[in-house]
Amino acid sequence: PDSETAAPRRRGHQVGDEYQLMVDQSVDVLFHTVDGVVTAVSPSLMNLIDLPPERLVGSTLPHLWHPVDLPRVVQLIEHVEEGTAGAVRARIRHVDGQYIDVKVAMRPIGEPGGRHGAVGSITDVSDLVAAERQLEDSAQEFQLLAEHAADVVFRASNDGVVEWISPSVQRVLGRTPSELIGTRFREFVHPDDATRFAAAQANLVAGESQVFEMRGR
C-alpha cells in the first residue's frame, strides 16, 4: 500500500518539476496576474529587461511600457478581464532606459471569488521589427527611384488595368498618374500595335517576361 500511494505522488511531483523547469528556462517571459497585479514572473525577465522578476511581484505592469504603446496594452488587459484572449505589440522599457519591441499575449483564467486572473507571455520581436523596418525602408527607396525614373514605371493587373504608374508618364503621354490608374493599357495602344500588345499581355499572364515596342496615344 505504501508503494502504491507513493508512486502517484512521485509522478505528480515530477510533472510539477517539469512545468517549473519549462517556466524557469522559457525564452519568453511568462507571468500571472490577479486583478491586474502580478503574482508570478518567470526568470527570463532578467534576460529581456535586466530586471529581477521579484521586483514586479505585487505590482502592476503599466510603468514598463512606452507611453505611446500604453493605451494599447491597457486595452488588451481590459479585453482579458472581459474574458477575451488577445495579443498586441508594444515597447517595454529596459533598465538602461532603452525600449525593446515585444509581443504581449494574455489569456483569462478563472480565480476564486470572481477575481480577474490572467496568464501571459512577453516575446522579444525586436529582430522581426528591425527586419520589417528595413523592408519598409527598401520599399520607400524603390518607390523613390520609380517616381523619379526617366522611363515610365508601372504595375498592372493580369487584365491590363493600371494599378500604379510613375509621374514620368505625364511627360511621355501628357496624362497624370491619377488619370491612368484604373484604366486599361489597350485604351492607349495604337490600333496597328493592338495585336502585338495583346500577344505580349497573354505571354505575361503565362509568366513570360516581355520586351516589345508599341505606340501609345
Side-chain angles (χ1 to χ4, degrees):
D2 290 341
S3 60
E4 290 176 0
T5 56
R9 283 200 297 269
R10 285 199 300 271
R11 285 196 294 269
H13 179 68
Q14 183 181 7
V15 170
D17 289 346
E18 290 173 348
Y19 277 114
Q20 187 64 46
L21 181 64
M22 286 189 290
V23 170
D24 291 343
Q25 302 300 319
S26 172
V27 175
D28 295 344
V29 176
L30 308 178
F31 63 91
H32 173 240
T33 64
V34 177
D35 290 339
V37 178
V38 178
T39 61
V41 187
S42 63
S44 48
L45 183 69
M46 277 290 295
N47 297 329
L48 181 64
I49 60 173
D50 201 23
L51 187 70
E54 57 269 17
R55 291 275 296 277
L56 285 187
V57 174
S59 66
T60 55
L61 296 176
H63 65 284
L64 291 178
W65 307 110
H66 191 288
V68 174
D69 302 331
L70 179 57
R72 192 181 308 127
V73 178
V74 170
Q75 187 177 45
L76 170 65
I77 295 172
E78 290 174 349
H79 286 169
V80 172
E81 289 180 348
E82 293 169 358
T84 303
V88 297
R89 281 193 188 179
R91 287 162 289 179
I92 193 170
R93 185 168 54 84
H94 193 277
V95 293
D96 64 6
Q98 300 294 315
Y99 284 92
I100 301 170
D101 291 288
V102 297
K103 175 185 176 183
V104 189
M106 296 182 67
R107 179 178 297 278
I109 58 172
E111 296 288 347
R115 304 174 72 186
H116 298 293
V119 291
S121 64
I122 302 174
T123 305
D124 185 350
V125 295
S126 53
D127 289 344
L128 174 61
V129 171
E132 289 175 346
R133 288 172 182 161
Q134 184 176 9
L135 182 61
E136 183 178 350
D137 290 342
S138 297
Q140 290 175 351
E141 290 175 0
F142 281 116
Q143 179 85 2
L144 186 65
L145 289 172
E147 289 178 352
H148 293 84
D151 296 336
V152 178
V153 183
F154 65 90
R155 183 183 70 244
S157 64
N158 282 343
D159 56 357
V161 176
V162 180
E163 298 176 339
W164 183 89
I165 194 163
S166 62
S168 53
V169 72
Q170 188 165 2
R171 175 182 54 78
V172 178
L173 296 182
R175 305 173 189 275
T176 64
S178 59
E179 290 179 284
L180 293 174
I181 292 174
T183 63
R184 284 178 166 79
F185 273 123
R186 64 172 179 263
E187 299 174 20
F188 307 99
V189 177
H190 192 287
D192 293 344
D193 299 331
T195 301
R196 184 186 303 122
F197 175 79
Q201 185 176 345
N203 290 336
L204 281 169
V205 173
E208 301 177 13
S209 298
Q210 298 294 297
V211 178
F212 64 97
E213 294 181 359
M214 55 164 266
R215 287 163 287 181
R217 179 167 50 82

